[in-house]
Each structure stands twice: as C-alpha cells, then as structure tokens.
Amino acid sequence: QVQLVESGGGLVQPGGSLRLSCAVSGFDLDYATIGWFRQAPGKEREAVGCTSSNFGITYYTDSEKGRFTISRDNVKNTVYLQMNSLKPEDTAVYYCALDWGHCRDYVSGYNYWGQGTQVTVSS
C-alpha cells in the first residue's frame, strides 16, 4: 500500500523558512516522481514543483524559483521542500503526490496523495 506522509508545516513569520518532508512507504522512491502542490483557502490546488525518478527537478511558478528547493533522499525514501523567504501568499496546505514517469503540473496526473501539512506565514 502506497502512503505519503507530509510533515514540517507550521506558523512562520514573513521572511522565515520551513522544510517540509514527504515520507513515502510502499513504493521505491528510486522509481517515483514526486510532485509538491499547495492549496490556499478558496483557491484551486496548484503545482509548486516536482522531482522525477532521474533526479530531474522542475519548479512551476516564478514565485518559487530561487526561494523553494526540492530535494530527495532515496535511502530514506523521503522528498523535501525547503522554503525560504516565505511570504504571506505562501500560506496554504502543502501536499506531496506520487506517480511515475515525467513530471506533471496537474492534480489528475498523480495517483497517490498525502494528507497535507498546513503552512501559515503571518506576523
């Protein structure tokens, strides 16, 4: 059974940092493509970035480029989303999702999802 568990969310002040983790079980991360998504209140879930099985990494919006970094540890079967210089508009529930093949930036492109972790950026 494939399971994804996100952790590391919380309340942080603007300009602060958080590192989210996505622990994967039931699937070898060596073959997995992991997408990070977020959903703010009243908005659709949007893609943040993705790491594919060949260690390719893609970031989907200019806002995250340079502030967010995706990495993966295939030994620990965990993918990370390091978020720096956080802004109030980064407030959302952050999800990781798993599939295989190339990276995708749409929700329907992933079969397995975690439960999400809340990130709140506020002073």
Side-chain angles (χ1 to χ4, degrees):
Q1 182 179 357
V2 178
Q3 287 190 324
L4 291 81
V5 178
E6 302 96 336
S7 61
L11 173 64
V12 63
Q13 292 187 342
S17 298
L18 283 174
R19 188 178 79 157
L20 306 184
S21 298
C22 173
V24 178
S25 60
F27 196 95
D28 189 339
L29 196 59
D30 284 344
Y31 305 104
T33 292
I34 302 292
W36 281 101
F37 290 75
R38 66 184 182 185
Q39 187 165 19
K43 295 188 177 181
E44 293 188 353
R45 196 169 297 189
E46 65 174 357
V48 173
C50 172
T51 172
S52 60
S53 57
N54 64 356
F55 283 78
I57 296 176
T58 302
Y59 300 98
Y60 289 119
T61 72
D62 289 337
S63 175
E64 282 77 54
K65 291 177 184 176
R67 298 193 300 123
F68 290 7
T69 303
I70 294 171
S71 61
R72 61 196 289 158
D73 184 335
N74 285 8
V75 173
K76 295 183 178 179
N77 241 37
T78 300
V79 176
Y80 303 97
L81 177 64
Q82 176 69 44
M83 305 186 294
N84 299 326
S85 302
L86 283 162
K87 305 174 182 179
E89 51 263 42
D90 294 318
T91 295
V93 178
Y94 283 72
Y95 299 89
C96 60
L98 181 149
D99 213 281
W100 42 92
H102 60 277
C103 278
R104 296 139 230 175
D105 62 356
Y106 47 94
V107 171
S108 61
Y110 293 85
N111 280 295
Y112 301 98
W113 290 81
Q115 82 290 348
T117 185
Q118 176 71 48
V119 171
T120 302
V121 184
S122 175
S123 56

